[in-house]
Amino acid sequence: MPFGVEQFFAVFTAYNRAIWPTQIVAYALGAFALGAILSGRSPARERIVFAVLSFLWAWNGVAYQLLFFSPVNPVAKVFAGLFIAQAALFAMYAVIGPPELRFELRSGWQSIAGLALILYSSLVYEILGIAAGHGLMNGPLFGVAPCPSTIFTIGLLLLLRGRSVMQLSVIPVIWALIGTGAALMLQVREDFGLAIAGLILRVSLTSDWLRYPQS
């Protein structure tokens, strides 16, 4: 790894200061997306959620990975490509709105796990970061940092029903593996939740594969 723990968090300190108050916008967008799902009344809720996710992934790919992280880690340019590709995929789904995809809350374990991961990414994650001594503005934050954004995305994907969930989950699963490896090396304990999120999503995908046989 071409950087150390101190340099890793120094990047986040500079990044968070430079993009302020985008963090507030990210929280507002996340709440808006979740509200669209929980209300159950908006016929455009899938398009709304996909549009929000597209923005968050594009922001992480360009603003964080490409502009701030790549100077200390050249591989971040590849990471940026992954995030931008996922953003484009979400944008495509926001535009075409596949009728077979729907967000819904059910009594099964997937909905419970999805809501738990959303809560973790937006609240518990930040509390753990503060407890670890990073400080609120000196570490990864919801919506504008890759790992909490991926956990949030996985939480939403667990609320999504339909055959195309598999296509939307490939890059989040890849990033869960990459982010978990980095978390272990850098001892970013709040990112350990990414491993759990990735595992839950893979189990969910297996269940959905059996429920929605691929043609």
Side-chain angles (χ1 to χ4, degrees), residues 12-38:
F12 272 112
T13 299
Y15 171 66
N16 284 324
R17 290 176 179 173
I19 68 170
W20 175 262
T22 308
Q23 295 90 337
I24 296 176
V25 175
Y27 265 101
L29 289 174
F32 184 55
L34 182 59
I37 296 173
L38 296 179

Side-chain angles (χ1 to χ4, degrees), residues 53-126:
L53 289 174
S54 177
F55 174 82
L56 295 181
W57 279 74
W59 181 275
N60 277 277
V62 176
Y64 176 72
Q65 299 282 16
L66 193 59
L67 298 181
F68 277 84
F69 195 34
S70 64
V72 301
N73 183 15
V75 182
K77 294 179 181 178
V78 177
F79 299 159
L82 287 175
F83 274 77
I84 293 170
Q86 184 69 22
L89 187 59
F90 279 134
M92 181 184 72
Y93 276 74
V95 172
I96 65 175
E100 55 94 9
L101 284 175
R102 63 194 182 281
F103 286 98
E104 61 181 35
L105 293 176
R106 299 193 297 186
S107 59
W109 67 269
Q110 289 166 308
S111 293
I112 296 172
L115 292 174
L117 290 176
I118 290 169
L119 178 64
Y120 181 89
S121 66
S122 59
L123 180 61
V124 178
Y125 187 98
E126 314 300 357

